[in-house]
mmCIF file with all atom_site columns, all heavy atoms in Angstrom:
data_model
loop_
_atom_site.group_PDB
_atom_site.id
_atom_site.type_symbol
_atom_site.label_atom_id
_atom_site.label_alt_id
_atom_site.label_comp_id
_atom_site.label_asym_id
_atom_site.label_entity_id
_atom_site.label_seq_id
_atom_site.pdbx_PDB_ins_code
_atom_site.Cartn_x
_atom_site.Cartn_y
_atom_site.Cartn_z
_atom_site.occupancy
_atom_site.B_iso_or_equiv
_atom_site.pdbx_formal_charge
_atom_site.auth_seq_id
_atom_site.auth_comp_id
_atom_site.auth_asym_id
_atom_site.auth_atom_id
_atom_site.pdbx_PDB_model_num
ATOM 1   N N   . ILE A 1 80 ? 58.514 79.830 87.455 1.00 0.00 ? 104 ILE A N   1
ATOM 2   C CA  . ILE A 1 80 ? 58.983 79.782 86.149 1.00 0.00 ? 104 ILE A CA  1
ATOM 3   C C   . ILE A 1 80 ? 58.882 78.447 85.492 1.00 0.00 ? 104 ILE A C   1
ATOM 4   O O   . ILE A 1 80 ? 58.401 78.296 84.369 1.00 0.00 ? 104 ILE A O   1
ATOM 5   C CB  . ILE A 1 80 ? 60.589 80.229 86.138 1.00 0.00 ? 104 ILE A CB  1
ATOM 6   C CG1 . ILE A 1 80 ? 60.699 81.672 86.397 1.00 0.00 ? 104 ILE A CG1 1
ATOM 7   C CG2 . ILE A 1 80 ? 61.171 79.864 84.721 1.00 0.00 ? 104 ILE A CG2 1
ATOM 8   C CD1 . ILE A 1 80 ? 62.101 82.201 86.635 1.00 0.00 ? 104 ILE A CD1 1
ATOM 9   N N   . ASN A 1 81 ? 59.236 77.393 86.206 1.00 0.00 ? 105 ASN A N   1
ATOM 10  C CA  . ASN A 1 81 ? 59.188 76.073 85.626 1.00 0.00 ? 105 ASN A CA  1
ATOM 11  C C   . ASN A 1 81 ? 57.741 75.503 85.421 1.00 0.00 ? 105 ASN A C   1
ATOM 12  O O   . ASN A 1 81 ? 57.534 74.685 84.588 1.00 0.00 ? 105 ASN A O   1
ATOM 13  C CB  . ASN A 1 81 ? 59.970 75.087 86.468 1.00 0.00 ? 105 ASN A CB  1
ATOM 14  C CG  . ASN A 1 81 ? 61.520 75.277 86.520 1.00 0.00 ? 105 ASN A CG  1
ATOM 15  O OD1 . ASN A 1 81 ? 62.062 75.731 85.368 1.00 0.00 ? 105 ASN A OD1 1
ATOM 16  N ND2 . ASN A 1 81 ? 62.142 74.964 87.469 1.00 0.00 ? 105 ASN A ND2 1
ATOM 17  N N   . SER A 1 82 ? 56.801 75.972 86.180 1.00 0.00 ? 106 SER A N   1
ATOM 18  C CA  . SER A 1 82 ? 55.370 75.574 86.128 1.00 0.00 ? 106 SER A CA  1
ATOM 19  C C   . SER A 1 82 ? 54.633 76.407 85.036 1.00 0.00 ? 106 SER A C   1
ATOM 20  O O   . SER A 1 82 ? 53.566 76.013 84.675 1.00 0.00 ? 106 SER A O   1
ATOM 21  C CB  . SER A 1 82 ? 54.664 75.665 87.396 1.00 0.00 ? 106 SER A CB  1
ATOM 22  O OG  . SER A 1 82 ? 54.705 76.987 87.900 1.00 0.00 ? 106 SER A OG  1
ATOM 23  N N   . SER A 1 83 ? 55.218 77.651 84.643 1.00 0.00 ? 107 SER A N   1
ATOM 24  C CA  . SER A 1 83 ? 54.507 78.411 83.676 1.00 0.00 ? 107 SER A CA  1
ATOM 25  C C   . SER A 1 83 ? 54.612 77.823 82.174 1.00 0.00 ? 107 SER A C   1
ATOM 26  O O   . SER A 1 83 ? 55.599 77.421 81.832 1.00 0.00 ? 107 SER A O   1
ATOM 27  C CB  . SER A 1 83 ? 55.070 79.870 83.680 1.00 0.00 ? 107 SER A CB  1
ATOM 28  O OG  . SER A 1 83 ? 54.339 80.718 82.728 1.00 0.00 ? 107 SER A OG  1
ATOM 29  N N   . SER A 1 84 ? 53.300 77.977 81.532 1.00 0.00 ? 108 SER A N   1
ATOM 30  C CA  . SER A 1 84 ? 53.401 77.514 80.170 1.00 0.00 ? 108 SER A CA  1
ATOM 31  C C   . SER A 1 84 ? 53.661 78.667 79.203 1.00 0.00 ? 108 SER A C   1
ATOM 32  O O   . SER A 1 84 ? 53.867 78.536 77.992 1.00 0.00 ? 108 SER A O   1
ATOM 33  C CB  . SER A 1 84 ? 52.054 76.875 79.809 1.00 0.00 ? 108 SER A CB  1
ATOM 34  O OG  . SER A 1 84 ? 51.052 77.807 80.027 1.00 0.00 ? 108 SER A OG  1
ATOM 35  N N   . SER A 1 85 ? 53.734 79.958 79.673 1.00 0.00 ? 109 SER A N   1
ATOM 36  C CA  . SER A 1 85 ? 54.023 81.154 78.916 1.00 0.00 ? 109 SER A CA  1
ATOM 37  C C   . SER A 1 85 ? 55.439 81.462 78.962 1.00 0.00 ? 109 SER A C   1
ATOM 38  O O   . SER A 1 85 ? 56.066 81.714 79.976 1.00 0.00 ? 109 SER A O   1
ATOM 39  C CB  . SER A 1 85 ? 53.151 82.235 79.512 1.00 0.00 ? 109 SER A CB  1
ATOM 40  O OG  . SER A 1 85 ? 53.575 83.487 79.009 1.00 0.00 ? 109 SER A OG  1
ATOM 41  N N   . GLU A 1 86 ? 56.113 81.509 77.642 1.00 0.00 ? 110 GLU A N   1
ATOM 42  C CA  . GLU A 1 86 ? 57.536 81.987 77.626 1.00 0.00 ? 110 GLU A CA  1
ATOM 43  C C   . GLU A 1 86 ? 57.617 83.327 78.059 1.00 0.00 ? 110 GLU A C   1
ATOM 44  O O   . GLU A 1 86 ? 58.723 83.721 78.756 1.00 0.00 ? 110 GLU A O   1
ATOM 45  C CB  . GLU A 1 86 ? 57.972 81.748 76.230 1.00 0.00 ? 110 GLU A CB  1
ATOM 46  C CG  . GLU A 1 86 ? 57.993 80.296 75.772 1.00 0.00 ? 110 GLU A CG  1
ATOM 47  C CD  . GLU A 1 86 ? 58.972 79.495 76.610 1.00 0.00 ? 110 GLU A CD  1
ATOM 48  O OE1 . GLU A 1 86 ? 60.069 79.858 76.945 1.00 0.00 ? 110 GLU A OE1 1
ATOM 49  O OE2 . GLU A 1 86 ? 58.504 78.312 77.083 1.00 0.00 ? 110 GLU A OE2 1
ATOM 50  N N   . ASN A 1 87 ? 56.671 84.238 77.780 1.00 0.00 ? 111 ASN A N   1
ATOM 51  C CA  . ASN A 1 87 ? 56.874 85.710 78.117 1.00 0.00 ? 111 ASN A CA  1
ATOM 52  C C   . ASN A 1 87 ? 56.809 85.816 79.661 1.00 0.00 ? 111 ASN A C   1
ATOM 53  O O   . ASN A 1 87 ? 57.580 86.565 80.348 1.00 0.00 ? 111 ASN A O   1
ATOM 54  C CB  . ASN A 1 87 ? 55.767 86.465 77.580 1.00 0.00 ? 111 ASN A CB  1
ATOM 55  C CG  . ASN A 1 87 ? 56.053 88.009 77.642 1.00 0.00 ? 111 ASN A CG  1
ATOM 56  O OD1 . ASN A 1 87 ? 56.948 88.500 77.246 1.00 0.00 ? 111 ASN A OD1 1
ATOM 57  N ND2 . ASN A 1 87 ? 55.147 88.681 78.352 1.00 0.00 ? 111 ASN A ND2 1
ATOM 58  N N   . GLN A 1 88 ? 55.981 85.056 80.376 1.00 0.00 ? 112 GLN A N   1
ATOM 59  C CA  . GLN A 1 88 ? 55.762 85.101 81.877 1.00 0.00 ? 112 GLN A CA  1
ATOM 60  C C   . GLN A 1 88 ? 57.116 84.542 82.512 1.00 0.00 ? 112 GLN A C   1
ATOM 61  O O   . GLN A 1 88 ? 57.579 85.185 83.408 1.00 0.00 ? 112 GLN A O   1
ATOM 62  C CB  . GLN A 1 88 ? 54.497 84.229 82.273 1.00 0.00 ? 112 GLN A CB  1
ATOM 63  C CG  . GLN A 1 88 ? 54.235 84.376 83.731 1.00 0.00 ? 112 GLN A CG  1
ATOM 64  C CD  . GLN A 1 88 ? 53.084 83.585 84.257 1.00 0.00 ? 112 GLN A CD  1
ATOM 65  O OE1 . GLN A 1 88 ? 52.644 82.814 83.510 1.00 0.00 ? 112 GLN A OE1 1
ATOM 66  N NE2 . GLN A 1 88 ? 52.660 83.915 85.408 1.00 0.00 ? 112 GLN A NE2 1
ATOM 67  N N   . LYS A 1 89 ? 57.647 83.452 81.944 1.00 0.00 ? 113 LYS A N   1
ATOM 68  C CA  . LYS A 1 89 ? 58.936 82.871 82.504 1.00 0.00 ? 113 LYS A CA  1
ATOM 69  C C   . LYS A 1 89 ? 59.999 84.076 82.411 1.00 0.00 ? 113 LYS A C   1
ATOM 70  O O   . LYS A 1 89 ? 60.726 84.144 83.397 1.00 0.00 ? 113 LYS A O   1
ATOM 71  C CB  . LYS A 1 89 ? 59.400 81.736 81.750 1.00 0.00 ? 113 LYS A CB  1
ATOM 72  C CG  . LYS A 1 89 ? 58.514 80.345 81.918 1.00 0.00 ? 113 LYS A CG  1
ATOM 73  C CD  . LYS A 1 89 ? 59.087 79.316 81.066 1.00 0.00 ? 113 LYS A CD  1
ATOM 74  C CE  . LYS A 1 89 ? 58.230 78.075 81.165 1.00 0.00 ? 113 LYS A CE  1
ATOM 75  N NZ  . LYS A 1 89 ? 58.765 77.087 80.383 1.00 0.00 ? 113 LYS A NZ  1
ATOM 76  N N   . ALA A 1 90 ? 60.131 84.743 81.308 1.00 0.00 ? 114 ALA A N   1
ATOM 77  C CA  . ALA A 1 90 ? 61.225 85.749 80.992 1.00 0.00 ? 114 ALA A CA  1
ATOM 78  C C   . ALA A 1 90 ? 60.925 86.716 81.970 1.00 0.00 ? 114 ALA A C   1
ATOM 79  O O   . ALA A 1 90 ? 61.884 87.249 82.530 1.00 0.00 ? 114 ALA A O   1
ATOM 80  C CB  . ALA A 1 90 ? 61.109 86.095 79.548 1.00 0.00 ? 114 ALA A CB  1
ATOM 81  N N   . MET A 1 91 ? 59.676 87.237 82.198 1.00 0.00 ? 115 MET A N   1
ATOM 82  C CA  . MET A 1 91 ? 59.497 88.421 83.009 1.00 0.00 ? 115 MET A CA  1
ATOM 83  C C   . MET A 1 91 ? 59.813 88.095 84.518 1.00 0.00 ? 115 MET A C   1
ATOM 84  O O   . MET A 1 91 ? 60.346 89.004 85.125 1.00 0.00 ? 115 MET A O   1
ATOM 85  C CB  . MET A 1 91 ? 58.029 88.787 82.877 1.00 0.00 ? 115 MET A CB  1
ATOM 86  C CG  . MET A 1 91 ? 57.667 89.464 81.538 1.00 0.00 ? 115 MET A CG  1
ATOM 87  S SD  . MET A 1 91 ? 58.802 90.778 80.890 1.00 0.00 ? 115 MET A SD  1
ATOM 88  C CE  . MET A 1 91 ? 58.635 91.980 82.300 1.00 0.00 ? 115 MET A CE  1
ATOM 89  N N   . ILE A 1 92 ? 59.429 86.911 84.883 1.00 0.00 ? 116 ILE A N   1
ATOM 90  C CA  . ILE A 1 92 ? 59.797 86.713 86.327 1.00 0.00 ? 116 ILE A CA  1
ATOM 91  C C   . ILE A 1 92 ? 61.409 86.736 86.472 1.00 0.00 ? 116 ILE A C   1
ATOM 92  O O   . ILE A 1 92 ? 61.894 87.331 87.423 1.00 0.00 ? 116 ILE A O   1
ATOM 93  C CB  . ILE A 1 92 ? 59.316 85.265 86.710 1.00 0.00 ? 116 ILE A CB  1
ATOM 94  C CG1 . ILE A 1 92 ? 57.788 85.282 86.667 1.00 0.00 ? 116 ILE A CG1 1
ATOM 95  C CG2 . ILE A 1 92 ? 59.800 84.778 88.205 1.00 0.00 ? 116 ILE A CG2 1
ATOM 96  C CD1 . ILE A 1 92 ? 57.142 83.804 86.903 1.00 0.00 ? 116 ILE A CD1 1
ATOM 97  N N   . ALA A 1 93 ? 62.052 86.053 85.599 1.00 0.00 ? 117 ALA A N   1
ATOM 98  C CA  . ALA A 1 93 ? 63.593 86.049 85.809 1.00 0.00 ? 117 ALA A CA  1
ATOM 99  C C   . ALA A 1 93 ? 64.205 87.539 85.552 1.00 0.00 ? 117 ALA A C   1
ATOM 100 O O   . ALA A 1 93 ? 65.037 87.870 86.327 1.00 0.00 ? 117 ALA A O   1
ATOM 101 C CB  . ALA A 1 93 ? 64.143 85.094 84.659 1.00 0.00 ? 117 ALA A CB  1
#
Side-chain angles (χ1 to χ4, degrees):
I104 289 169
N105 290 330
S106 62
S107 174
S108 59
S109 164
E110 291 303 315
N111 190 58
Q112 186 181 14
K113 290 179 181 182
M115 290 310 299
I116 295 169

